[in-house]
Amino acid sequence: DVKVTQSSRYLVKRTGEKVFLECVQDMDHENMFWYRQDPGLGLRLIYFSYDVKMKEKGDIPEGYSVSREKKERFSLILESASTNQTSMYLCASSSTYEKLFFGSGTQLSVL
Amino acid sequence: QKEVEQNSGPLSVPEGAIASLNCTYSDRVSQSFFWYRQYSGKSPELIMSIYSNGDKEDGRFTAQLNKASQYVSLLIRDSQPSDSATYLCAVNDFGNEKLTFGTGTRLTIIP
């Protein structure tokens, strides 16, 4: 079975903390994505990556950065967490534009 | 910026009836169209893709695309309680790995 694994299901952080969300896929996919999902706003793309060490901004990159040092791992970094970054974060990977495989998500609460 | 619009619902349909979900998009160059299903508390999963005008059938699901009118729909025949979920419409341009999602329509099948 294909698998996209996100390191934490629930995470609680304080305002101003640096937060790392980790995602690992075992499908040898070139493309990886970070979305956030909020009620009424749907899935919004934060960053994506076509290859190792390559990254592209999505629709809402402000306040976030990413790292892709290895093909299977894509990390999302909140440099200084704020309350408006409380959200469900979903990682996904794909080999083509046809089908995204999503991880189980990380519910982040910033207090 | 590309927009994908869906009625948020909830849409309630009796068991055994046809559920009809609609999606409109703003960008005329959009080439590929997808329907993802998301159960409560779970991640989205791809159920249908369509690229050409007309209908595409897969079991109880039919996707319909009308590029001139810029809409795509999903029909679910013989609706079952297990079809109760949020359905996300997604679009992208040819060769573009970046999907734009709608906000989703919550569907409830009433036994």
Side-chain angles (χ1 to χ4, degrees), chain A residues 22-87:
Chain A
E22 305 287 344
C23 175
V24 178
Q25 50 99 358
D26 66 358
M27 296 167 282
D28 201 35
H29 285 166
E30 291 77 21
N31 310 306
M32 296 189 75
F33 308 83
W34 276 106
Y35 287 88
R36 64 177 283 178
Q37 187 171 30
D38 301 285
L41 296 177
L43 279 163
R44 293 180 292 166
L45 182 63
I46 305 171
Y47 268 97
F48 60 106
S49 170
Y50 291 147
D51 202 349
V52 176
K53 297 192 185 293
M54 180 275 177
K55 59 186 178 184
E56 291 283 346
K57 292 180 180 179
D59 298 318
I60 52 163
E62 295 78 20
Y64 304 94
S65 62
V66 290
S67 173
R68 194 167 180 199
E69 295 296 319
K70 293 185 178 181
K71 189 176 186 180
E72 67 270 19
R73 187 180 297 270
F74 193 35
S75 303
L76 180 69
I77 304 156
L78 286 67
E79 296 290 341
S80 177
S82 62
T83 55
N84 63 12
Q85 292 179 310
T86 291
S87 185

Side-chain angles (χ1 to χ4, degrees), chain B residues 37-52:
Chain B
R37 178 177 62 200
Q38 186 174 24
Y39 291 115
S40 180
K42 302 294 185 182
S43 299
E45 57 177 340
L46 179 67
I47 55 171
M48 289 287 288
S49 58
I50 186 166
Y51 309 101
S52 306

Side-chain angles (χ1 to χ4, degrees), chain B residues 27-74:
Chain B
D27 192 346
R28 285 194 171 271
V29 301
S30 296
Q31 297 284 337
S32 306
F33 307 87
F34 307 90
W35 284 99
Y36 281 75
R37 178 177 62 200
Q38 186 174 24
Y39 291 115
S40 180
K42 302 294 185 182
S43 299
E45 57 177 340
L46 179 67
I47 55 171
M48 289 287 288
S49 58
I50 186 166
Y51 309 101
S52 306
N53 278 329
D55 294 359
K56 179 182 177 183
E57 190 173 317
D58 183 1
R60 295 186 296 110
F61 297 95
T62 299
Q64 299 175 318
L65 175 60
N66 184 324
K67 289 187 177 181
S69 300
Q70 294 178 240
Y71 82 78
V72 57
S73 61
L74 179 70

